[in-house]
Amino acid sequence: MHKRFGLALFRLVMGATVATAIVTQYMQGATRATFNPVNFFSYFTIESNILAAFIFIVTGAALMTGIKLRRRSLIRGAAVLYMTITGIVYAILLSGIDADLGLTMPWVNMVLHYLMPVAVLIDWFADPPEQKVPFKSALIWTIFPALYLFYSLIRGYGTGWYPYPFLNPEHSGYGGIITISIGILVVSIGLIWVITKLSGRANSSPTPKNRLKSRTRRQK
């Protein structure tokens, strides 16, 4: 009971913190004449944090009220992957250029790029799905990043604006973009393997019920 309440509170607080950070940054950016709302929501950081915050708030509220949500493992796992990618890519490729990313508020940057990526991992470790998420099924999580890449390149070609320097052909060249994209894909597949391996642990514990089922199968 205490663990469920603590987990629910953790999710609700983190979800609300991220939502506050995004709204605050949006309002701060909207004061500038050059602000473009479409550009703001075209950052993978913003999109992945919105998804994670939404999941945290919904699942946190469900825990608080005792409502059981079905088939949430895949979307939870997707949020874990996207937020982990956000943290890794920022740390390796983007750290130190917050102004260019439209994230000029230090506390917002801390929440979106550091705090929330860690929070989703803690949440997944603390409350893994009861049913194991199959690795092959989880590969569907790579579709969104792939679509995001195509969207960013196509829109960037038409507008001249790219959300990240490594997606700008003038900065990295198409060869560099392909190399970085393949690298992110390889890392993503590795992360998917780890995330799915950590799922379904609740069912693997040797509870009396599970031991009885195992003993019955051996007798048959």
Side-chain angles (χ1 to χ4, degrees), residues 167-184:
L167 292 180
N168 189 338
E170 295 183 2
H171 182 274
S172 304
Y174 284 105
I177 294 174
I178 293 173
T179 301
I180 293 174
S181 299
I182 291 175
I184 293 175

Side-chain angles (χ1 to χ4, degrees), residues 19-32 35 40 46 101-109 112:
T20 301
I22 292 174
V23 170
T24 302
Q25 185 61 57
Y26 181 92
M27 294 178 66
Q28 194 270 347
T31 61
R32 301 195 301 264
F35 179 74
F40 181 84
I46 299 298
L101 302 179
L103 296 174
T104 57
M105 304 178 73
W107 76 269
V108 171
N109 174 62
L112 302 187

Side-chain angles (χ1 to χ4, degrees), residues 64-85:
M64 280 287 192
T65 57
I67 298 175
K68 292 186 177 181
L69 301 176
R70 297 182 177 180
R71 298 181 180 179
R72 57 190 173 92
S73 299
L74 275 178
I75 191 169
R76 274 189 68 206
V80 175
L81 174 66
Y82 302 155
M83 286 307 306
T84 304
I85 291 175

Side-chain angles (χ1 to χ4, degrees), residues 125 128-132 194 197-206:
F125 293 153
E130 293 182 0
Q131 299 294 329
K132 187 173 182 61
V194 173
K197 277 291 183 180
L198 295 173
S199 65
R201 294 207 169 184
N203 289 340
S204 62
S205 58

Side-chain angles (χ1 to χ4, degrees), residues 23-210:
V23 170
T24 302
Q25 185 61 57
Y26 181 92
M27 294 178 66
Q28 194 270 347
T31 61
R32 301 195 301 264
T34 57
F35 179 74
N36 186 323
V38 178
N39 289 353
F40 181 84
F41 289 106
S42 292
Y43 288 105
F44 190 85
T45 293
I46 299 298
E47 295 169 1
S48 59
N49 271 277
I50 288 175
L51 174 63
F54 173 77
I55 293 172
F56 265 37
I57 292 172
V58 170
T59 58
L63 276 177
M64 280 287 192
T65 57
I67 298 175
K68 292 186 177 181
L69 301 176
R70 297 182 177 180
R71 298 181 180 179
R72 57 190 173 92
S73 299
L74 275 178
I75 191 169
R76 274 189 68 206
V80 175
L81 174 66
Y82 302 155
M83 286 307 306
T84 304
I85 291 175
T86 295
I88 292 174
V89 170
Y90 178 79
I92 296 176
L93 299 175
L94 303 172
S95 182
I97 57 172
D98 303 328
D100 293 336
L101 302 179
L103 296 174
T104 57
M105 304 178 73
W107 76 269
V108 171
N109 174 62
M110 178 62 68
V111 169
L112 302 187
H113 285 125
Y114 293 99
L115 193 58
M116 196 57 173
V118 173
V120 294
L121 288 173
I122 292 174
D123 182 72
W124 188 263
F125 293 153
D127 184 33
E130 293 182 0
Q131 299 294 329
K132 187 173 182 61
V133 179
F135 174 74
K136 290 184 179 180
S137 298
L139 288 175
I140 195 174
W141 297 338
T142 61
I143 292 178
F144 174 67
L147 292 176
Y148 176 82
L149 173 64
F150 286 118
Y151 162 78
S152 299
L153 293 178
I154 292 173
R155 183 171 183 268
Y157 181 80
T159 63
W161 181 89
Y162 296 86
Y164 302 108
F166 63 84
L167 292 180
N168 189 338
E170 295 183 2
H171 182 274
S172 304
Y174 284 105
I177 294 174
I178 293 173
T179 301
I180 293 174
S181 299
I182 291 175
I184 293 175
L185 175 61
V186 171
V187 171
S188 297
I189 293 175
L191 289 171
I192 291 172
W193 184 84
V194 173
I195 292 169
T196 54
K197 277 291 183 180
L198 295 173
S199 65
R201 294 207 169 184
N203 289 340
S204 62
S205 58
T207 62
K209 186 176 180 180
N210 288 342

